[in-house]
Amino acid sequence: MDFTELKKQWLAEEQASFKGWDFSHIRGRWMDEQLPWDYEQLLRRYLSCEHQLLDMGTGGGEFLLSLNHPYSQCSVTEGYEPNVQLCKERLEPLGITVRKIENPLHIPYPDASFDLVINRHEAYDFKEVYRILKPGGTFITQQVGGKNDDDLVAKLGCVKELPDPKTFDLQNAMHFALQASFNVELGYEAFTPIEFYDVGAFVYFAHIIEWEFGGFQVESHFDQLCTLAQELAEHGCIRGSEHRYLLVLKK
């Protein structure tokens, strides 16, 4: 195994560009979110063509656009500045309202604005989401649980940010949702495998998910990456565990 050549490849993956929330760069090189529910299929059960829809943490709007909801009835929030600019370039010309969010305790939309708020892996505050929903409105969120990627983080020896206790797991989330006056319609939780079929794909992933792989760099974690290359050679993949939960809440 030529680790000198591999290091060059890994350094290149660390520098590869990333826009929106688009992992197409490593398509076919990894597997994730093999969940027992279908987020899109579930939210379509609650979405009608006349609804005012908000997508929180839209990234580059990739998922929102796939829903084919009337653009004039779509709004988004995004907090990551490069993605905010991407949304303004990509979504605003279509008639979609784009707002930058700097604090999940303040969503920049008026009270009772939306029939449906969707949120996949974005920070939120239950009371603030409740405020912007119309009476009878629905909040659907799929979240990353507090134990997500713990085994992969340990393999690299990285430092993971402590999760918000309100969103650590399904039980905690349901507790705080009820405190915010929501009615719980559905709640699911799952631990599922995540696999990488080359170390470069894992480098790309870990570099992006910096809040989980704190301090990760190819140079400083080269020995650990070499160990992962050996694991890959022996087992055919680098495997970890993802923690996800989903809530459907009614105002």
Side-chain angles (χ1 to χ4, degrees), residues 24-39:
S24 60
H25 177 69
I26 56 173
R27 183 179 294 123
R29 300 163 62 192
W30 74 318
M31 177 198 75
D32 82 320
E33 285 199 352
Q34 303 299 301
L35 296 171
W37 62 80
D38 186 317
Y39 175 76

Side-chain angles (χ1 to χ4, degrees), residues 39-40 43-44 46-56 58 61 63-77 91 95-98 109 112-119 132-134 137-140:
Y39 175 76
E40 178 179 346
L43 73 86
R44 285 186 182 279
Y46 291 86
L47 180 62
S48 297
C49 61
E50 73 276 7
H51 279 168
Q52 290 293 329
L53 170 67
L54 172 65
D55 183 18
M56 296 183 66
T58 194
F63 178 74
L64 176 68
L65 292 176
S66 74
L67 297 175
N68 294 314
H69 195 62
Y71 295 147
S72 61
Q73 290 157 231
C74 291
S75 301
V76 302
T77 63
L91 304 183
I96 296 172
T97 303
V98 176
Y109 288 98
S113 293
F114 301 103
D115 301 282
L116 178 63
V117 175
I118 61 174
N119 177 318
I132 63 169
L133 276 172
K134 297 178 182 180
T138 306
F139 177 40
I140 300 177

